[in-house]
Amino acid sequence: MPDVPVTHSRVDVDGIHTFYRQAGPPEAPVVLLPHGYPSSSFQYRNLMPALGDRWRLIAPDLPGFGYTRADDFAYTFDAYAGFLRRFVDTLELTRYTIYLQDYGSQFGLRLAMSAPERVAALVIQNGDIYEDEHGPKYAPLKKMWADPSPQALADVAANVSEAGFRAEFLGEVPETIADRISPDLWTLSWAQVGRPPGPQNLVRLLADQRTTVDWFPRQQAYLRDHQPPTLIVWGPHDGYMPEGAARAYLRDLPDAELHLLGGGHWLLETHLAEVVALMRDFLGRVRW
């Protein structure tokens, strides 16, 4: 497996001093890596050097996560989708494959919908857009979305903590492979967002997640109408997004490649080599 250096930079996006990681030749085809909740570009730290020999991988820390501070940011899904679009334009990226995982799948899909001609392909990994396949762990969130009372908000806010982050990262992964998931994920994430107003901002974002459901039909229509080449790599041990959430994509993308691996929501921690091999084969066949 290649071991290409990863560089660390900052760029101004709408006045936000934005941190991002990058690997690969400047002129190589671009793979854009928006991260999920409650992580940062750190989640891609191992994927990037493994693919950077042939592709240019770019992973920003979105506002309020990682090393990108933004206390005045709106902390809504609309705001993040707009920010990712402006980040891409600031770096003058005009053609790319997008890695869609967790919250990053929402921001990345809206980016794709805003400029379909720029999308070379999609890699989907535990990022769901089919409400009928939501897993049981959505229950407390849906309760809050339906009735955002102070108590419902408080119940969700209690999980915005280092212990809550640990539970998010370990999830439902079998004990036999759980020790592959680095504690750096939750320790670093909490160290970066745990000081006020970080936790309050994240509660606002969790509450706003209810708006994503209204986008699902539009996102499904985008996939159905444009048929971007798509690789689906999925960890089925996921209380939010079980196996059915992966298979649902085949309703709109019948030609997509689907691979169910043995991990969970944070597949790059437990099955990196398998994902890298699948991505190398897939990206090598993409028409850039």
Side-chain angles (χ1 to χ4, degrees), residues 49-243:
L51 295 175
D53 60 321
R54 293 184 58 188
W55 297 279
R56 179 187 177 194
L57 297 103
I58 301 172
D61 280 356
L62 299 171
F65 294 92
Y67 297 112
T68 301
R69 292 284 294 180
D71 293 339
D72 294 329
F73 192 70
Y75 292 92
T76 65
F77 279 76
D78 283 349
Y80 277 105
F83 178 87
L84 184 61
R85 237 179 359 255
R86 292 187 291 277
F87 173 80
V88 164
D89 289 342
T90 300
L91 266 60
E92 300 182 343
L93 308 178
T94 58
R95 184 78 167 160
Y96 35 72
T97 288
I98 313 173
Y99 192 101
L100 304 175
Q101 192 264 352
D102 193 80
Y103 279 13
S105 65
Q106 283 297 311
F107 316 143
L109 271 174
R110 294 202 204 179
L111 174 66
M113 293 165 68
S114 71
E117 72 282 357
R118 295 185 178 186
V119 178
L122 301 175
V123 177
I124 304 175
Q125 190 254 296
N126 295 74
D128 60 336
I129 61 169
Y130 297 89
E131 187 178 12
D132 61 311
E133 293 293 347
H134 277 172
K137 286 184 76 171
Y138 270 109
L141 284 171
K142 291 189 173 185
K143 179 181 177 182
M144 178 183 66
W145 301 344
D147 178 23
S149 65
Q151 183 56 55
L153 286 168
D155 291 344
V156 171
N159 294 313
V160 183
S161 64
E162 185 171 354
F165 283 8
R166 180 179 185 275
E168 289 288 335
F169 284 114
L170 290 176
E172 294 68 48
V173 171
E175 290 186 8
T176 53
I177 57 172
D179 59 1
R180 301 181 191 177
I181 299 177
S182 172
D184 295 331
L185 285 165
W186 58 84
T187 303
L188 179 60
S189 293
W190 182 248
Q192 290 169 324
V193 305
R195 58 187 182 277
Q200 297 95 313
N201 291 335
L202 296 190
V203 172
R204 287 164 55 195
L205 182 58
L206 289 165
D208 189 66
Q209 190 178 348
R210 68 183 182 277
T211 64
T212 64
V213 177
D214 292 336
W215 276 85
F216 288 175
R218 283 177 276 180
Q219 292 164 339
Q220 294 162 17
Y222 159 76
L223 297 177
R224 201 162 50 245
D225 294 343
H226 292 277
Q227 294 294 309
T230 301
L231 170 68
I232 305 170
V233 288
W234 206 273
H237 299 288
D238 186 340
Y240 291 109
M241 307 169 194
E243 179 177 330

